[in-house]
Amino acid sequence: MVSHPWRTNAHARIAAFARQRDLAEADIEELLQFARRVEIDPWDVKADRDKTGEFYCRIGRSATDPSRDLAAGYHIDEAHRTVEVISFELVPAR
């Protein structure tokens, strides 16, 4: 078993997204929990995968805008144990 976490750019993306959208603290915490999950095991995150290999995940309802969900798009590079977050978004809630 590999003991070191996966590397990810999620924390930098969270900081930029939080500034851009003026996110509520609860949303930032939710995104940080997502980052911790992908650092432990990105394959354990419930997400859809498209034909290009990009993953899409609805993280949870937004506290900033309750009519929206927090979502992420990312790539997993298993060979290098990295998760590249392409973007975080606020998408229409289901």
Side-chain angles (χ1 to χ4, degrees):
M1 181 174 163
V2 178
S3 62
H4 61 281
W6 288 67
R7 291 175 304 182
T8 182
N9 65 338
H11 296 280
R13 291 282 189 187
I14 290 166
F17 186 60
R19 281 191 308 273
Q20 177 188 38
R21 298 294 182 119
D22 194 25
L23 292 182
E25 189 65 32
D27 284 351
I28 296 168
E29 271 304 310
E30 192 80 22
L31 294 174
L32 289 171
Q33 285 179 15
F34 167 82
R36 286 188 289 272
R37 286 174 40 218
V38 299
E39 286 173 334
I40 294 168
D41 183 0
W43 300 107
D44 196 36
V45 175
K46 184 177 182 202
D48 295 318
R49 188 176 191 178
D50 70 13
K51 62 184 176 185
T52 68
E54 186 171 330
F55 290 84
Y56 298 95
C57 172
R58 281 185 186 262
I59 299 166
R61 186 63 48 98
S62 171
T64 304
D65 182 349
S67 69
R68 301 270 178 180
D69 287 343
L70 294 165
Y74 57 97
H75 286 284
I76 298 173
D77 181 345
E78 191 160 15
H80 295 102
R81 290 186 58 84
T82 59
V83 178
E84 177 193 5
V85 174
I86 298 159
S87 67
F88 288 109
E89 293 295 331
L90 289 170
V91 298
R94 288 186 183 168

